[in-house]
Amino acid sequence: MRIGNAFDVHPLVVGRALVLGGISIPFELGLEGHSDGDALTHAVIDSLLGAAGLGDSGVWFPPTDPKWKGANSIEMLRVIMEQLKERNWKVGNVDSVIICERPKLSPYFAQIRQNLAKVLEVTETQVSVKATTSEGLGFVGREEAIAVHAVALIEKA
Ligand code: MG
């Protein structure tokens, strides 16, 4: 078994969709990014890459590559899952925490877990999504960004 951990942060801006775990969440602000800005899916990708010792998402999806401009991050996760499977890895479990002042994300957890579990080829019980606020402190507290921590365990299939 191997574990990997990851952190991602994206700025909250006007005029962008708020996408987390491949789910569009109604909110007046959205996440800036070269792709769709899905910080949760990015953190999951980086935790898997970390566990497999395959670098980080910057290596696999360079921000200079027009191919990934506006990309659905779930498609990026699919690419990384293919890489893991080629190396005989399967996902044991993924745990994550989204640090976000607003909006309230818990109503979307079930849908996000279902969505990620499908791509990770595991059951929903193997995908944990949690959220916390920053208690008004720092850039997350000022609603300038959303941050995500994720941990993944992988094992030989
Ligand atoms: Mg990112």
Side-chain angles (χ1 to χ4, degrees):
M1 289 187 291
R2 305 268 293 263
I3 63 165
N5 96 99
F7 174 76
D8 196 22
V9 59
H10 281 258
L12 271 172
V13 296
V14 178
R16 291 270 300 186
L18 175 56
V19 179
L20 289 168
I23 302 297
S24 271
I25 294 163
F27 191 50
E28 68 259 33
L29 304 172
L31 294 173
E32 184 82 275
H34 181 64
S35 63
D36 59 6
D38 186 340
L40 172 58
T41 301
H42 293 178
V44 170
I45 287 171
D46 270 357
S47 66
L48 292 170
L49 287 172
L54 292 173
D56 61 38
S57 51
V59 174
W60 291 90
F61 311 106
T64 47
D65 188 345
K67 187 180 172 193
W68 301 106
K69 187 165 167 50
N72 177 349
S73 297
I74 292 291
E75 294 308 320
M76 296 155 73
L77 179 57
R78 271 190 236 282
V79 168
I80 297 309
M81 275 305 292
E82 284 310 311
Q83 292 297 323
L84 260 63
K85 286 195 284 183
E86 268 177 32
R87 291 163 178 80
N88 207 31
W89 292 112
K90 64 174 184 172
V91 174
N93 74 299
V94 170
D95 184 24
S96 63
V97 56
I98 305 165
I99 310 158
C100 169
E101 219 58 34
R102 279 191 319 134
K104 192 174 168 60
L105 298 173
S106 55
Y108 305 96
F109 285 172
Q111 213 183 333
I112 290 172
R113 291 174 74 189
Q114 208 171 48
N115 207 34
L116 291 176
K118 210 187 304 166
V119 184
L120 297 170
E121 299 179 20
V122 295
T123 66
E124 286 147 60
T125 62
Q126 289 161 283
V127 181
S128 164
V129 179
K130 311 185 300 297
T132 187
T133 71
S134 187
E135 301 288 347
L137 300 170
F139 56 86
V140 170
R142 291 189 299 268
E143 301 186 10
E144 292 168 5
I146 289 178
V148 182
H149 289 275
V151 178
L153 182 144
I154 58 174
E155 49 200 344
K156 283 293 175 182

